[in-house]
Amino acid sequence: MKIELEQVKPADIEKRSFEIIESELPHDIDSELAPIIKRAVHTSADFDYVDNLCFSEDVVSKALESIKNGACIVTDTQMAKAGINKAELKKHGGEVFCFMSDDDVRDMAKKNGSTRARASMEKAAQMDRPLIFAIGNAPTALIRVYELIQEGLLKPELVIGVPVGFVNVVQSKELIMQCDIPYIVARGRKGGSNVAASICNALIYMLRDGY
């Protein structure tokens, strides 16, 4: 069997990838949401995100405004933190944080018999900065974000809820969508740290490109 390889220059691979995504979209998508949806598809090669991603009202404009005003991003994994374009975010005064490896988070989790993901959200809630939460791995983190919102201890600029898995994953996402806060949620079991980072980058790049 002869395999024909597409000849693409290294600098054009991403551009060509997005052209393929555009040509294979199962249906038209909202132009405002398109950069986010297509980047989630790009990072996962999964077109289910065209329909699985759920957006609160006016979330894109609210998220872009918060980034412009220096919002910081809190993730639940070092992988998500590594994948976010920190240099572009820094241009607006923002930073990316992941507290999962911190000694005080480890100690808090041990003391309370909870997960580090849950404890890391409690630490984040003490920050006196506008925060975007990008949760791609741990439903316990997303559930604690929901609880902190309900307790009046946290008011995020945006919650990106895309944990992946089976135990309490679906439920944690549904809880966030009941909150009166801006959210982008991947309904169902799919998600991941790479998807969380890709959504953050989509928003950051929208500002870079003058959206």
Side-chain angles (χ1 to χ4, degrees):
M1 180 179 67
K2 187 177 180 181
I3 298 175
E4 296 288 343
L5 296 178
E6 189 171 351
Q7 300 302 312
V8 183
K9 295 179 180 179
D12 294 333
I13 291 174
E14 181 173 281
K15 178 175 178 289
R16 178 61 183 135
S17 295
F18 277 95
E19 289 173 351
I20 294 170
I21 291 168
E22 183 71 34
S23 70
E24 295 185 15
L25 286 172
H27 53 75
D28 292 337
I29 55 179
D30 186 293
S31 60
E32 185 178 55
L33 307 178
I36 299 166
I37 294 171
K38 288 192 283 189
R39 193 158 287 278
V41 172
H42 176 257
T43 201
S44 63
D46 189 342
F47 281 88
D48 280 356
Y49 288 104
V50 173
D51 296 307
N52 288 355
L53 284 179
C54 300
F55 301 84
S56 62
E57 188 174 357
D58 298 324
V59 66
V60 173
S61 60
K62 292 175 181 177
L64 295 182
E65 189 65 24
S66 69
I67 293 172
K68 282 194 290 185
N69 291 332
C72 294
I73 298 173
V74 176
T75 76
D76 65 329
T77 64
Q78 297 293 344
M79 178 181 173
K81 178 184 176 181
I84 296 170
N85 192 321
K86 289 169 280 295
E88 283 294 328
L89 183 65
K90 189 176 181 180
K91 292 178 181 178
H92 304 284
E95 300 177 72
V96 184
F97 296 93
C98 178
F99 300 125
M100 289 288 288
S101 301
D102 292 8
D103 290 342
D104 56 344
V105 166
R106 178 202 63 205
D107 294 343
M108 189 189 310
K110 186 175 181 180
K111 177 182 177 182
N112 296 333
S114 70
T115 65
R116 288 196 186 192
R118 183 179 175 91
S120 71
M121 297 300 108
E122 293 169 359
K123 180 171 180 175
Q126 298 173 22
M127 297 175 67
D128 187 23
R129 301 183 71 172
L131 298 177
I132 291 171
F133 287 83
I135 310 302
N137 181 68
T140 55
L142 201 56
I143 291 167
R144 189 57 183 141
V145 168
Y146 166 80
E147 292 171 348
L148 289 164
I149 293 169
Q150 297 305 304
E151 293 165 11
L153 300 175
L154 183 64
K155 190 174 182 180
E157 301 293 315
L158 168 67
V159 175
I160 299 169
V162 293
V164 60
F166 299 94
V167 179
N168 287 331
V169 167
V170 174
Q171 296 92 325
S172 68
K173 296 172 181 179
E174 295 296 325
L175 286 172
I176 288 298
M177 288 192 286
Q178 293 178 14
C179 294
D180 185 23
I181 47 98
Y183 65 76
I184 300 173
V185 166
R187 194 167 231 157
R189 291 173 169 174
K190 292 186 177 182
S193 296
N194 59 334
V195 176
S198 75
I199 293 172
C200 292
N201 285 336
L203 292 165
I204 293 167
Y205 296 153
M206 288 170 79
L207 284 180
R208 178 195 66 186
D209 298 338
Y211 189 87

